[in-house]
Amino acid sequence: MKKYDVVIAGGGAVGAACAYFLSRDTDLKIALIDLKKPGNASRASAGGLWAIGESVGLGCGVIFFKTLSKLHSEAQGKEVPVMRPHQLPDCFFEFALTSNNMYPALHQEMLEKHGVDFKFERTGLKFIMYNEEDRLYAEQITQGIPHLADQVRWLDAEQLKKEEPYVTDDAIGAIDFICDHQVNPYRLVDAYLEGARQNGVSLYLNTEVTSVIRNGNVVEGVKTSDEVFFCDTLINASGAWANELYQQATGRTMPVYPVKGQIVLSERMPKIMNGCISTSDCYIAQKDNGEILIGSSTEEKGFDTTNSLDKIQELSQGAMKCLPILKESSIKRCWAGLRPGTPDELPILGPVEGVEGYLNACGHFRTGILTSAITGQLMTELIMGKTPSLDLTPFSVERFEEAEQKAG
Ligand SMILES: Cc1cc2nc3c(=O)[nH]c(=O)nc-3n(C[C@H](O)[C@H](O)[C@H](O)COP(=O)(O)OP(=O)(O)OC[C@H]3O[C@@H](n4cnc5c(N)ncnc54)[C@H](O)[C@@H]3O)c2cc1C
């Protein structure tokens, strides 16, 4: 039997960030337990820190909503309507932008204190416009975020050509979100884990939490296949699988479910991009080693992690339309990962009413790489008994129960 102050179930970006911030800011005895299940999201991710882009529905969002509105209209025999941006609520902007602002200092801290480099790069995120419909879409986006006007640059075709010479001549311009950047997601998780290990966290990797130990309304620990871990607080950071542990901890269910995303990766290429790109067909990011990452589909297919030719073809065609030079590239590999989805696309964070010794840190859907840093900080504040620096009410699990009661 082992005894810890805090046990973290799940070692993706979110669980690893919780381990890092807790071990940096407290003297608590902490264990992180992780089994890499097929499809774990952090290692499947693109590594975009697209705080504004994702909040206004670019990145994965725009591709998803375009497909969805096309399918709906076709099913009803109607014309495909003009796309409208899918903007998340203000609480999400604050959450995402606060997290985004943490990365420059975190990158320095990881380099200097722990000797690890998660390859933070200031890139911006450009939404490329091909036609008037795209321009209208971009205008609607900027009209929805007047308070962030200083973070948006409009580029005409000539300026775009100067900044991204490989973008197709068919592009009529772009909007650039200047505070949106990128990291290497594998290295980010490794950096959090290495920092946590150096700070004294016990890492149990290749280890599954098989059950939660509960005594009445108090969570007392977890079991793995061959050990028992008692703890004062269990943090559930088990990604798309989080509902399983939540059920055992609380006797209730919460709507966290896998949302598949497929990605294509090219072999290394000379530098052909100066920033990250989103179009309404795909997003494209050149990573620090020259590989080009093209993402990503949004599919509700349970825990399926296969790649399908149709999605890989759609993404590749979208990328070649934007950057014709990609016709000369070779595919290194494709993969699929499982985002921890929730119905309102917001994460589920913090305590659960009537349950002691348990915190949720899950449901980060499309932005868990970006928002891992603020999640680690908020969980640390909660465990230290401080008032969280951001209001967690919009992210509480109870919002779903309230919504159900209203509907019923
Ligand atoms: C294709 C794709 C592209 C993406 N691109 C971006 C992007 O550009 N930017 C961005 O911010 N986000 C992106 N995301 C989303 C992001 O990857 C996720 O939001 C984030 O990784 C979620 O992190 P997590 O730690 O909650 O989950 P995960 O990374 O899935 O980690 C959860 C871990 O818990 C483990 N686990 C589950 N159950 C147990 C158990 N019982 N015992 C022990 N371990 C367990 C899992 O195996 C896994 O290792 C993308 C996702 C996908 C799929």
Side-chain angles (χ1 to χ4, degrees):
M1 182 195 95
K2 293 192 156 79
K3 171 78 180 83
Y4 288 92
D5 296 310
V6 181
V7 166
I8 301 164
V14 172
C18 293
Y20 178 69
F21 283 93
L22 267 168
S23 63
R24 187 192 73 176
D25 298 344
T26 73
D27 293 326
L28 296 172
K29 197 174 166 203
I30 302 158
L32 177 145
I33 306 175
D34 180 66
L35 177 73
K36 286 271 161 287
K37 300 192 179 185
N40 70 85
S42 300
R43 279 169 192 268
S45 143
L49 302 182
W50 300 329
I52 301 186
E54 288 288 357
S55 302
V56 299
L58 290 177
C60 308
V62 63
I63 309 155
F64 175 53
F65 287 103
K66 187 177 168 187
T67 317
L68 202 69
S69 87
K70 195 165 169 243
L71 288 176
H72 276 185
S73 315
E74 281 172 359
Q76 294 169 354
K78 290 185 190 159
E79 234 181 80
V80 179
V82 174
M83 280 198 307
R84 300 224 169 271
H86 175 75
Q87 189 168 319
L88 290 173
D90 289 352
C91 63
F92 185 81
F93 275 83
E94 196 185 3
F95 179 64
L97 286 164
T98 309
S99 200
N100 201 23
N101 287 339
M102 292 169 72
Y103 282 94
L106 187 63
H107 184 230
Q108 273 310 107
E109 180 177 312
M110 287 291 187
L111 277 172
E112 285 164 14
K113 286 203 186 143
H114 302 292
V116 283
D117 182 357
F118 59 75
K119 305 282 177 186
F120 169 75
E121 283 181 85
R122 293 180 187 276
T123 54
L125 175 71
K126 294 187 185 73
F127 173 63
I128 307 290
M129 302 178 291
Y130 296 122
N131 50 40
E132 280 311 309
E133 196 183 317
D134 287 342
R135 191 193 293 282
L136 188 65
Y137 187 77
E139 269 167 14
Q140 286 173 342
I141 287 176
T142 53
Q143 281 158 11
I145 49 168
H147 57 298
L148 293 170
D150 61 338
Q151 296 299 326
V152 183
R153 284 188 321 140
W154 281 88
L155 307 179
D156 62 21
E158 203 180 315
Q159 285 165 310
L160 175 62
K161 199 80 204 160
K162 236 188 213 164
E163 295 192 20
E164 296 292 351
Y166 290 96
V167 166
T168 174
D169 292 339
D170 294 340
I172 60 167
I175 46 171
D176 184 19
F177 300 114
I178 54 184
C179 71
D180 286 6
H181 304 303
Q182 70 168 341
V183 296
N184 178 313
Y186 324 101
R187 284 178 177 247
L188 178 67
V189 178
D190 287 346
Y192 283 137
L193 289 179
E194 177 56 14
R197 188 192 68 78
Q198 290 179 19
N199 291 340
V201 173
S202 306
L203 302 176
Y204 298 87
L205 305 178
N206 297 317
T207 307
E208 182 170 22
V209 171
T210 49
S211 61
V212 176
I213 306 167
R214 193 175 71 166
N215 184 2
N217 66 343
V218 182
V219 171
E220 293 187 331
V222 297
K223 287 183 186 165
T224 65
S225 56
D226 47 22
E227 279 187 285
V228 175
F229 295 69
F230 281 101
C231 61
D232 296 332
T233 309
L234 170 65
I235 299 183
N236 181 357
S238 57
W241 298 264
N243 185 40
E244 291 171 22
L245 297 184
Y246 179 78
Q247 279 185 327
Q248 294 185 31
T250 67
R252 303 173 215 162
T253 60
M254 65 177 172
V256 177
Y257 46 82
V259 182
K260 172 172 155 178
Q262 300 193 41
I263 277 191
V264 189
L265 185 75
S266 82
E267 292 287 0
R268 288 167 199 250
M269 294 188 76
K271 192 167 168 63
I272 60 161
M273 297 173 70
N274 289 313
C276 298
I277 283 179
S278 175
T279 73
S280 50
D281 308 305
C282 65
Y283 58 76
I284 315 167
Q286 184 159 30
K287 305 310 277 188
D288 63 294
N289 62 2
E291 292 168 354
I292 309 259
L293 197 148
I294 304 162
S296 159
S297 63
T298 300
E299 304 162 73
E300 288 189 23
K301 297 208 162 162
F303 287 92
D304 169 47
T305 56
T306 52
N307 281 118
S308 60
L309 277 178
D310 63 340
K311 296 292 175 203
I312 296 304
Q313 187 186 21
E314 274 173 30
L315 294 171
S316 309
Q317 278 175 346
M320 290 185 293
K321 174 177 162 191
C322 182
L323 291 168
I325 191 176
L326 288 179
K327 288 178 192 152
E328 294 159 28
S329 66
S330 358
I331 294 179
K332 181 173 183 179
R333 60 191 184 96
C334 309
W335 65 80
L338 303 172
R339 305 177 186 92
T342 63
D344 56 10
E345 303 189 12
L346 302 181
I348 303 180
L349 305 175
V352 178
E353 265 170 35
V355 179
E356 285 174 36
Y358 174 88
L359 293 174
N360 278 317
C362 48
H364 291 71
F365 194 35
R366 297 196 302 244
T367 59
I369 300 298
L370 163 67
T371 58
S372 58
I374 186 65
T375 303
Q377 182 184 302
L378 289 165
M379 290 301 128
T380 303
E381 289 166 355
L382 283 174
I383 286 177
M384 289 169 83
K386 292 186 177 170
T387 306
S389 45
L390 294 182
D391 177 17
L392 292 184
T393 322
F395 307 123
S396 79
V397 70
E398 282 79 26
R399 71 185 188 269
F400 298 112
E401 289 163 17
E402 282 160 20
E404 239 171 59
Q405 278 165 8
K406 271 187 201 155

